[in-house]
Amino acid sequence: MKRLSFIAGLAALVLIWAGPLLSVWRESFAAHMLAHMGVVAIAAPLIAIGVSDRIAAVRPSSALIASLVELVVVWGWHMPAARLWATSFVFATIVEQAMFLAAGLFLWLTALATAGGSTAQSASGAFALLLTSIHMTLLGALLALASRPLYGFSEVTCFGLVLDAEQDQALGGVVMLMVGAAVYLAGGVFLLSRLLSGNGQQRGAG
């Protein structure tokens, strides 16, 4: 099962990076957000689950640090100047996507590593994922409800739809809310439920 999860995660990366999201539709913010969420909220957790049995125990602070790293990476790359750079140059797109994957893996690997540890470790993993869900919810809402477009003013095409800049940005914000925020919330709730059921503490004691 874990091997299938790992393979599925790699397959998701191939589909995201080799598909039209970052090539034909690279000007679309909604397409960018689909690629971003596909990397951090689909591929990264699948890969992390696939190798979770090989992860050594981590300090409670590790997951929290990973969450803060992802916050900086996510918000940093959604600054208008950074977004323009990533849209304009292939090298910048590669750097952006590599940082998304690294930050996503760092957080999911450390969060999963806390699941079988002490109460403090389990709590830190759950809190790290919930914190990430909160800041993704905030960013997604800001993007979806912004009174003006932040990433351009021309029409773009995504999935065959022609969108103006405001519609494109709003759709991207909704994607972050529906995919990213939801997946991290589900992960945090899952770890929290394990903690409350006593599984994490029992394993840590064993």
Side-chain angles (χ1 to χ4, degrees):
M1 190 67 178
K2 290 186 176 182
R3 184 178 180 183
L4 289 176
S5 177
F6 180 77
I7 293 173
L10 294 180
L13 286 179
V14 172
L15 289 174
I16 293 164
W17 289 344
L21 294 176
L22 299 177
S23 56
V24 179
W25 301 328
R26 65 181 290 111
E27 299 294 328
S28 169
F29 180 74
H32 152 81
M33 191 61 76
L34 283 168
H36 175 194
M37 293 299 102
V39 170
V40 302
I42 297 176
L46 285 173
I47 293 172
I49 291 170
V51 299
S52 59
D53 57 345
R54 302 180 183 180
I55 305 174
V58 298
R59 296 179 179 179
S61 60
S62 298
L64 300 178
I65 292 172
S67 181
L68 294 177
V69 168
E70 181 149 359
L71 186 153
V72 171
V73 170
V74 169
W75 283 75
W77 277 106
H78 287 92
M79 298 293 289
R83 170 65 187 147
L84 178 61
W85 186 50
T87 304
S88 303
F89 302 98
V90 174
F91 172 75
T93 302
I94 293 173
V95 173
E96 173 198 55
Q97 293 298 308
M99 290 182 67
F100 283 157
L101 179 60
L105 284 175
F106 183 26
L107 177 53
W108 284 104
L109 287 170
T110 52
L112 291 177
T114 66
S118 65
T119 300
Q121 287 175 316
S122 298
S124 68
F127 180 76
L129 293 181
L130 292 174
L131 175 62
T132 304
S133 176
I134 291 171
H135 80 70
M136 283 194 175
T137 298
L138 177 59
L139 180 57
L142 289 173
L143 294 171
L145 300 175
S147 59
R148 63 181 180 85
L150 303 175
Y151 304 109
F153 302 95
S154 59
E155 292 184 337
V156 296
T157 300
C158 181
F159 288 106
L161 300 174
V162 178
L163 306 170
D164 63 33
E166 188 173 352
Q167 292 171 330
D168 187 41
Q169 179 176 301
L171 181 57
V174 171
V175 169
M176 173 168 270
L177 289 169
M178 296 295 290
V179 181
V183 170
Y184 281 92
L185 175 62
V189 169
F190 172 74
L191 293 184
L192 185 60
S193 67
R194 287 175 59 90
L195 173 63
L196 295 177
S197 68
N199 289 344
Q201 187 172 5
Q202 291 170 7
R203 290 192 177 188

